[in-house]
């Protein structure tokens, strides 16, 4: 499992504000959330505790009472230009698991990132969604729009130089739904990072290897962990027993084969064992629509030799390499 994607590739190129200090000597406080580097609620390099992964966040949405994770540069200056990232976990997973699966919070200071990582599947009155851990238009969309607006208001919309969606599996498919059907996101999006989720211009079954169906493990939707029970013990090296994403048990999906109208940057990432027998697609319909040139004969490779912070440590009745291995 990759520990992180290259952010050089991804980022090439006062009412809600309690206080934004202009120097790095004093940590900033954004939306009442103290800043720290390393970021808060951060896993160690190995044996990440399940209780830490289960923590739902260091910030609270006053409109819903729901927690979320907020990371930002501690030396953020007033009117500084930043990249805002909404980071969505996969079906049946958790926000802080996603935050360590795609740990761009480790690069918040270097690349001037403000990162929002929410949890799915908890209603405003605290009751669990019928499909906990899956992004639901009726349960989650208003909450997500609310926290994005709050962070925008605290930073200042004019100071957001780019808005990116990042999502793993069902979180990637949900990102695509936002782009295709929600004007709130359509007018904002500048880029989308899809991690084993939707690939623009392709049906999922055309690029993803099949996952065996069955009970007791990642054959369909992995068993979700209700909010009241998110205290699973750590499992294995660099692991936690927090669930990971799979085929969602509920929610809405829009086929990524339908290309959006608005142009934006797009990055698709999948594990070596996720592709069908055809392998990595030789062309991109999205690149063709944008008028991009052909892929280079020798693409630049990015090698990551460090193990990941997290993996799915639950017992799997029907293990399949598509679900990945231990770090």
């Amino acid at each position: 499992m990759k520990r992180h994607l290259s952010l050089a590739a991804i980022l090439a190129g006062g009412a809600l504000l309690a206080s934004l200090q202009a120097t790095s000597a004093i940590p900033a406080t954004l939306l009442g959330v103290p800043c720290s580097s390393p970021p808060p609620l951060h896993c160690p390099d190995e044996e990440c505790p399940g209780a830490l992964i289960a923590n739902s966040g260091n910030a609270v949405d006053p409109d819903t009472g729901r927690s979320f994770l907020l990371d930002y540069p501690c030396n953020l200056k007033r009117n500084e230009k930043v990249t805002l990232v909404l980071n969505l976990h996969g079906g049946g997973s958790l926000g802080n698991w996603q935050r360590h699966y795609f740990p761009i919070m480790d690069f918040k200071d270097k690349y001037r990132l403000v990162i929002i990582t929410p949890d799915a599947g908890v209603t405003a009155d605290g009751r669990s969604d019928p499909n906990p851990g899956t992004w639901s238009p009726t349960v989650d969309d208003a909450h997500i729009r609310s926290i994005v607006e709050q962070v925008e208001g605290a930073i200042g919309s004019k100071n957001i130089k780019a808005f990116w969606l990042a999502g793993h599996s069902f979180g990637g498919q949900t990102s695509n739904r936002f782009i295709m059907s929600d004007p709130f996101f359509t007018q904002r999006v500048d880029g989308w990072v899809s991690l084993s989720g939707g690939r623009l211009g392709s049906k999922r079954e055309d690029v993803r290897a099949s996952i065996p169906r069955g009970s007791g493990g990642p054959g369909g939707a992995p068993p979700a962990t209700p909010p009241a029970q998110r205290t699973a013990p750590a499992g294995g090296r660099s692991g936690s027993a927090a669930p990971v994403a799979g085929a969602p048990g509920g929610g809405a999906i829009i086929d990524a084969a339908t290309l959006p109208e608005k142009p934006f940057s797009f990055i698709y990432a999948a594990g070596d064992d996720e592709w069908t027998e055809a392998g990595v697609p030789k062309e991109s319909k999205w690149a063709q629509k944008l008028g991009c040139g052909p892929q280079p004969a020798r693409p630049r490779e990015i090698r990551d030799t460090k193990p990941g912070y997290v993996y799915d440590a639950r017992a799997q009745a029907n293990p399949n390499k598509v679900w990945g291995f231990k770090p």
Side-chain angles (χ1 to χ4, degrees):
M1 179 181 291
K2 296 292 185 184
R3 181 167 180 167
H4 59 79
L5 293 179
S6 168
L7 284 205
I10 297 174
L11 303 169
L16 290 173
L17 181 59
S19 83
L20 270 175
Q21 304 296 340
T23 70
S24 59
I26 304 175
T29 301
L30 187 64
L31 290 178
V33 178
C35 189
S36 63
S37 293
L41 302 172
H42 199 298
C43 286
D45 284 346
E46 52 187 350
E47 300 294 348
C48 189
L52 188 154
I53 287 293
N55 194 304
S56 59
N58 56 348
V60 177
D61 176 7
D63 293 339
T64 64
R66 293 171 58 172
S67 299
F68 64 98
L69 291 143
L70 179 61
D71 296 292
Y72 60 96
C74 289
N75 60 348
L76 185 63
K77 298 176 176 60
R78 191 181 302 277
N79 295 324
E80 180 183 349
K81 300 298 185 287
V82 298
T83 297
L84 179 60
V85 182
L86 176 63
N87 194 12
L88 301 179
H89 64 70
S93 189
L94 305 170
N96 207 20
W97 200 99
Q98 169 69 10
R99 187 166 167 260
H100 287 84
Y101 173 75
F102 182 55
I104 55 174
M105 79 280 192
D106 288 348
F107 301 90
K108 64 184 179 66
D109 296 305
K110 180 177 181 179
Y111 291 102
R112 317 312 289 169
L113 308 174
V114 177
I115 309 153
I116 303 168
T117 312
D119 264 342
V122 181
T123 59
D125 57 7
R127 293 178 298 178
S128 179
D129 182 63
N131 295 295
T134 61
W135 300 106
S136 163
T138 56
V139 174
D140 299 300
D141 285 15
H143 166 63
I144 293 173
R145 287 191 291 264
S146 173
I147 58 180
V148 169
E149 286 184 323
Q150 289 169 42
V151 173
E152 286 179 339
I155 299 170
S157 296
K158 67 180 184 303
N159 298 321
I160 298 173
K161 64 180 181 181
F163 178 80
W164 279 75
L165 292 165
H168 174 220
S169 192
F170 190 42
Q173 296 175 59
T174 300
S175 299
N176 182 55
R177 174 172 66 81
F178 286 164
I179 293 168
M180 295 295 293
S181 64
D182 191 332
F184 179 89
F185 291 100
T186 300
Q187 65 184 355
R188 285 170 167 78
V189 67
D190 297 297
W192 170 24
V193 184
S194 182
L195 309 164
S196 304
R199 181 180 185 270
L200 282 174
S202 301
K203 291 182 178 293
R204 186 177 177 89
E205 60 268 22
D206 291 341
V207 294
R208 288 289 304 275
S210 62
I211 300 173
R213 297 293 168 181
S215 60
T225 304
Q229 302 174 13
R230 293 180 176 180
T231 56
R237 186 179 186 277
S238 297
S240 89
V244 300
I253 297 175
I254 290 180
D255 193 343
T258 303
L259 295 178
E261 291 300 322
K262 178 183 176 179
F264 54 85
S265 297
F266 177 66
I267 296 172
Y268 181 76
D272 287 346
D273 295 313
E274 291 186 85
W275 303 106
T276 65
E277 292 183 358
V280 180
K282 300 300 187 292
E283 60 182 23
S284 164
K285 293 183 176 65
W286 183 240
Q288 291 171 349
K289 177 176 179 176
L290 298 184
C292 301
Q295 295 188 49
R298 295 174 61 90
R300 180 170 62 99
E301 289 189 350
I302 300 170
R303 295 188 176 273
D304 188 349
T305 59
K306 295 181 180 180
Y309 291 116
V310 292
Y311 68 95
D312 184 6
R314 297 168 302 159
Q316 297 180 15
N318 53 347
N320 183 272
K321 62 182 182 180
V322 170
W323 287 90
F325 300 97
K326 292 182 179 181

